[in-house]
Amino acid sequence: MDKIKNDRQLKISRQALDGMHRALKATEKISQPDIRKLCADSVRIGMERIKREIEEYLKQHRRGPA
């Protein structure tokens, strides 16, 4: 994902983050521990990236927390 450039992209990023929270929750149902960990780690990495992008956009536009 590229840097957030406007409020529309901010909204989409927040929606993506919400979806990733659900995906992370769903990884708990994976029966193989090693696969479950790999999936959860991948989702967490994506979530952190989106969170950083949201925080950067809000900081540049002087808004409240993400």
Side-chain angles (χ1 to χ4, degrees), residues 3 7 11 15 24 26-27 32 36 38 43 48 58 66:
K3 289 185 178 185
D7 286 344
K11 180 179 177 181
Q15 290 171 343
L24 183 59
T27 63
Q32 296 92 349
R36 180 176 53 244
L38 286 171
V43 172
E48 289 303 315
L58 294 176

Side-chain angles (χ1 to χ4, degrees), residues 33-43:
D34 54 338
I35 302 297
R36 180 176 53 244
K37 183 180 181 331
L38 286 171
C39 291
D41 289 349
S42 295
V43 172

Side-chain angles (χ1 to χ4, degrees), residues 8-56:
R8 181 178 175 276
Q9 290 179 351
L10 175 63
K11 180 179 177 181
I12 292 168
S13 294
R14 286 180 166 161
Q15 290 171 343
L17 192 56
D18 289 343
M20 294 180 89
H21 279 287
R22 290 190 298 276
L24 183 59
K25 181 76 173 161
T27 63
E28 296 171 4
K29 297 180 182 180
I30 299 173
S31 60
Q32 296 92 349
D34 54 338
I35 302 297
R36 180 176 53 244
K37 183 180 181 331
L38 286 171
C39 291
D41 289 349
S42 295
V43 172
R44 283 188 194 102
I45 289 168
M47 290 172 68
E48 289 303 315
R49 182 176 177 192
I50 292 173
K51 285 179 186 178
R52 282 192 307 271
E53 290 171 359
I54 290 172
E55 289 172 2
E56 182 179 323

